[in-house]
Amino acid sequence: MPAHTVTTVAPMPNLENLKKQAKQYLRWHRERYYPVAAGIRAALPRFQHFDDNQVLEANFKLGDAQELIARQSGFEGWQALKTGAPAMTD
């Protein structure tokens, strides 16, 4: 018998989960968790020319973490994500 492959698409995380993810990034930044520096640098243009230490020493607020989550999800910013996320649940 041929093997069957099941392809599933992960649903868009709900807004509460996205808020929790943003808070986690904020904690990681405050704890100077180095792997988070690369993600911040890749997603947020104002950090793109910083090295890991500069990213971790920079001022990083909840709004920055929310923007990071939004950009990683394909949105320009948090407000766009909040408006667009319900439309992406299908």
Side-chain angles (χ1 to χ4, degrees), residues 13-74:
N14 70 33
L15 194 56
E16 285 306 310
N17 287 339
L18 295 172
K19 287 178 183 179
K20 289 176 185 176
Q21 287 177 20
K23 289 177 183 177
Q24 180 64 55
Y25 272 104
L26 190 59
R27 274 191 298 277
W28 282 336
H29 182 270
R30 286 182 182 152
E31 294 168 0
R32 298 186 56 84
Y33 178 60
Y34 271 84
V36 79
I40 291 170
R41 187 172 40 253
L44 301 178
R46 65 187 166 278
F47 291 99
Q48 69 185 357
H49 298 295
F50 289 9
D51 64 26
D52 288 350
N53 280 327
Q54 290 171 319
V55 169
L56 296 173
E57 289 172 6
N59 189 16
F60 188 78
K61 298 177 181 175
L62 181 59
D64 298 313
Q66 290 172 333
E67 181 183 352
L68 172 68
I69 295 295
R71 287 180 175 267
Q72 288 177 336
S73 300

